[in-house]
mmCIF file with all atom_site columns, all heavy atoms in Angstrom:
data_model
loop_
_atom_site.group_PDB
_atom_site.id
_atom_site.type_symbol
_atom_site.label_atom_id
_atom_site.label_alt_id
_atom_site.label_comp_id
_atom_site.label_asym_id
_atom_site.label_entity_id
_atom_site.label_seq_id
_atom_site.pdbx_PDB_ins_code
_atom_site.Cartn_x
_atom_site.Cartn_y
_atom_site.Cartn_z
_atom_site.occupancy
_atom_site.B_iso_or_equiv
_atom_site.pdbx_formal_charge
_atom_site.auth_seq_id
_atom_site.auth_comp_id
_atom_site.auth_asym_id
_atom_site.auth_atom_id
_atom_site.pdbx_PDB_model_num
ATOM   1  N  N   . SER A 1 45  ? -3.733 -20.969 18.542 1.00 93.00 ? 45  SER A N   1
ATOM   2  C  CA  . SER A 1 45  ? -2.423 -21.222 17.947 1.00 93.00 ? 45  SER A CA  1
ATOM   3  C  C   . SER A 1 45  ? -1.724 -19.902 17.651 1.00 93.00 ? 45  SER A C   1
ATOM   4  O  O   . SER A 1 45  ? -2.343 -18.971 17.133 1.00 93.00 ? 45  SER A O   1
ATOM   5  C  CB  . SER A 1 45  ? -2.624 -22.033 16.663 1.00 93.00 ? 45  SER A CB  1
ATOM   6  O  OG  . SER A 1 45  ? -1.382 -22.279 16.085 1.00 93.00 ? 45  SER A OG  1
ATOM   7  N  N   . GLY A 1 46  ? -0.473 -19.784 18.018 1.00 93.00 ? 46  GLY A N   1
ATOM   8  C  CA  . GLY A 1 46  ? 0.294  -18.568 17.748 1.00 93.00 ? 46  GLY A CA  1
ATOM   9  C  C   . GLY A 1 46  ? 0.158  -17.518 18.823 1.00 93.00 ? 46  GLY A C   1
ATOM   10 O  O   . GLY A 1 46  ? 0.699  -16.423 18.698 1.00 93.00 ? 46  GLY A O   1
ATOM   11 N  N   . GLY A 1 48  ? 1.437  -17.614 21.794 1.00 94.00 ? 48  GLY A N   1
ATOM   12 C  CA  . GLY A 1 48  ? 2.661  -17.455 22.589 1.00 94.00 ? 48  GLY A CA  1
ATOM   13 C  C   . GLY A 1 48  ? 2.852  -18.503 23.674 1.00 94.00 ? 48  GLY A C   1
ATOM   14 O  O   . GLY A 1 48  ? 3.767  -18.404 24.487 1.00 94.00 ? 48  GLY A O   1
ATOM   15 N  N   . LYS A 1 49  ? 2.024  -19.545 23.667 1.00 96.00 ? 49  LYS A N   1
ATOM   16 C  CA  . LYS A 1 49  ? 2.094  -20.565 24.723 1.00 96.00 ? 49  LYS A CA  1
ATOM   17 C  C   . LYS A 1 49  ? 3.445  -21.285 24.733 1.00 96.00 ? 49  LYS A C   1
ATOM   18 O  O   . LYS A 1 49  ? 4.093  -21.387 25.776 1.00 96.00 ? 49  LYS A O   1
ATOM   19 C  CB  . LYS A 1 49  ? 0.970  -21.619 24.529 1.00 96.00 ? 49  LYS A CB  1
ATOM   20 C  CG  . LYS A 1 49  ? -0.417 -21.054 24.348 1.00 96.00 ? 49  LYS A CG  1
ATOM   21 C  CD  . LYS A 1 49  ? -1.456 -22.143 24.219 1.00 96.00 ? 49  LYS A CD  1
ATOM   22 C  CE  . LYS A 1 49  ? -1.337 -22.986 22.954 1.00 96.00 ? 49  LYS A CE  1
ATOM   23 N  NZ  . LYS A 1 49  ? -1.662 -22.241 21.712 1.00 96.00 ? 49  LYS A NZ  1
ATOM   24 N  N   . SER A 1 50  ? 3.816  -21.785 23.545 1.00 95.00 ? 50  SER A N   1
ATOM   25 C  CA  . SER A 1 50  ? 5.075  -22.543 23.486 1.00 95.00 ? 50  SER A CA  1
ATOM   26 C  C   . SER A 1 50  ? 6.262  -21.656 23.811 1.00 95.00 ? 50  SER A C   1
ATOM   27 O  O   . SER A 1 50  ? 7.207  -22.077 24.485 1.00 95.00 ? 50  SER A O   1
ATOM   28 C  CB  . SER A 1 50  ? 5.265  -23.150 22.106 1.00 95.00 ? 50  SER A CB  1
ATOM   29 O  OG  . SER A 1 50  ? 4.257  -24.098 21.859 1.00 95.00 ? 50  SER A OG  1
ATOM   30 N  N   . THR A 1 51  ? 6.202  -20.428 23.319 1.00 95.00 ? 51  THR A N   1
ATOM   31 C  CA  . THR A 1 51  ? 7.275  -19.481 23.605 1.00 95.00 ? 51  THR A CA  1
ATOM   32 C  C   . THR A 1 51  ? 7.464  -19.336 25.105 1.00 95.00 ? 51  THR A C   1
ATOM   33 O  O   . THR A 1 51  ? 8.586  -19.392 25.620 1.00 95.00 ? 51  THR A O   1
ATOM   34 C  CB  . THR A 1 51  ? 6.948  -18.123 22.955 1.00 95.00 ? 51  THR A CB  1
ATOM   35 O  OG1 . THR A 1 51  ? 6.756  -18.333 21.563 1.00 95.00 ? 51  THR A OG1 1
ATOM   36 C  CG2 . THR A 1 51  ? 8.059  -17.132 23.183 1.00 95.00 ? 51  THR A CG2 1
ATOM   37 N  N   . GLN A 1 95  ? 5.101  -32.847 22.563 1.00 92.00 ? 95  GLN A N   1
ATOM   38 C  CA  . GLN A 1 95  ? 3.989  -33.375 21.775 1.00 92.00 ? 95  GLN A CA  1
ATOM   39 C  C   . GLN A 1 95  ? 4.396  -34.634 21.010 1.00 92.00 ? 95  GLN A C   1
ATOM   40 O  O   . GLN A 1 95  ? 3.661  -35.600 20.947 1.00 92.00 ? 95  GLN A O   1
ATOM   41 C  CB  . GLN A 1 95  ? 3.526  -32.301 20.790 1.00 92.00 ? 95  GLN A CB  1
ATOM   42 C  CG  . GLN A 1 95  ? 2.356  -32.747 19.933 1.00 92.00 ? 95  GLN A CG  1
ATOM   43 C  CD  . GLN A 1 95  ? 1.802  -31.607 19.112 1.00 92.00 ? 95  GLN A CD  1
ATOM   44 O  OE1 . GLN A 1 95  ? 2.241  -30.466 19.232 1.00 92.00 ? 95  GLN A OE1 1
ATOM   45 N  NE2 . GLN A 1 95  ? 0.816  -31.899 18.289 1.00 92.00 ? 95  GLN A NE2 1
ATOM   46 N  N   . ASP A 1 172 ? 4.197  -29.646 26.620 1.00 95.00 ? 172 ASP A N   1
ATOM   47 C  CA  . ASP A 1 172 ? 3.686  -28.814 25.518 1.00 95.00 ? 172 ASP A CA  1
ATOM   48 C  C   . ASP A 1 172 ? 2.822  -29.674 24.606 1.00 95.00 ? 172 ASP A C   1
ATOM   49 O  O   . ASP A 1 172 ? 3.334  -30.511 23.876 1.00 95.00 ? 172 ASP A O   1
ATOM   50 C  CB  . ASP A 1 172 ? 4.866  -28.212 24.740 1.00 95.00 ? 172 ASP A CB  1
ATOM   51 C  CG  . ASP A 1 172 ? 4.405  -27.075 23.821 1.00 95.00 ? 172 ASP A CG  1
ATOM   52 O  OD1 . ASP A 1 172 ? 3.174  -26.947 23.617 1.00 95.00 ? 172 ASP A OD1 1
ATOM   53 O  OD2 . ASP A 1 172 ? 5.270  -26.346 23.312 1.00 95.00 ? 172 ASP A OD2 1
ATOM   54 N  N   . GLU A 1 173 ? 1.523  -29.447 24.665 1.00 94.00 ? 173 GLU A N   1
ATOM   55 C  CA  . GLU A 1 173 ? 0.570  -30.209 23.846 1.00 94.00 ? 173 GLU A CA  1
ATOM   56 C  C   . GLU A 1 173 ? 0.841  -31.709 23.963 1.00 94.00 ? 173 GLU A C   1
ATOM   57 O  O   . GLU A 1 173 ? 0.857  -32.427 22.964 1.00 94.00 ? 173 GLU A O   1
ATOM   58 C  CB  . GLU A 1 173 ? 0.655  -29.798 22.364 1.00 94.00 ? 173 GLU A CB  1
ATOM   59 C  CG  . GLU A 1 173 ? 0.596  -28.305 22.114 1.00 94.00 ? 173 GLU A CG  1
ATOM   60 C  CD  . GLU A 1 173 ? -0.817 -27.763 21.934 1.00 94.00 ? 173 GLU A CD  1
ATOM   61 O  OE1 . GLU A 1 173 ? -1.789 -28.508 22.206 1.00 94.00 ? 173 GLU A OE1 1
ATOM   62 O  OE2 . GLU A 1 173 ? -0.950 -26.593 21.556 1.00 94.00 ? 173 GLU A OE2 1
ATOM   63 N  N   . VAL A 1 203 ? 0.680  -27.012 28.564 1.00 96.00 ? 203 VAL A N   1
ATOM   64 C  CA  . VAL A 1 203 ? 0.162  -26.193 27.464 1.00 96.00 ? 203 VAL A CA  1
ATOM   65 C  C   . VAL A 1 203 ? -0.815 -27.005 26.635 1.00 96.00 ? 203 VAL A C   1
ATOM   66 O  O   . VAL A 1 203 ? -0.531 -28.152 26.271 1.00 96.00 ? 203 VAL A O   1
ATOM   67 C  CB  . VAL A 1 203 ? 1.310  -25.711 26.554 1.00 96.00 ? 203 VAL A CB  1
ATOM   68 C  CG1 . VAL A 1 203 ? 0.781  -25.224 25.209 1.00 96.00 ? 203 VAL A CG1 1
ATOM   69 C  CG2 . VAL A 1 203 ? 2.099  -24.608 27.222 1.00 96.00 ? 203 VAL A CG2 1
HETATM 70 MG MG1 . MG  C 2 .   ? 2.758  -24.288 20.454 1.00 94.85 ? 2   MG  C MG1 1
#
Side-chain angles (χ1 to χ4, degrees):
Chain A
S45 180
K49 309 182 293 292
S50 295
T51 303
Q95 181 172 356
D172 194 347
E173 310 271 11
V203 163

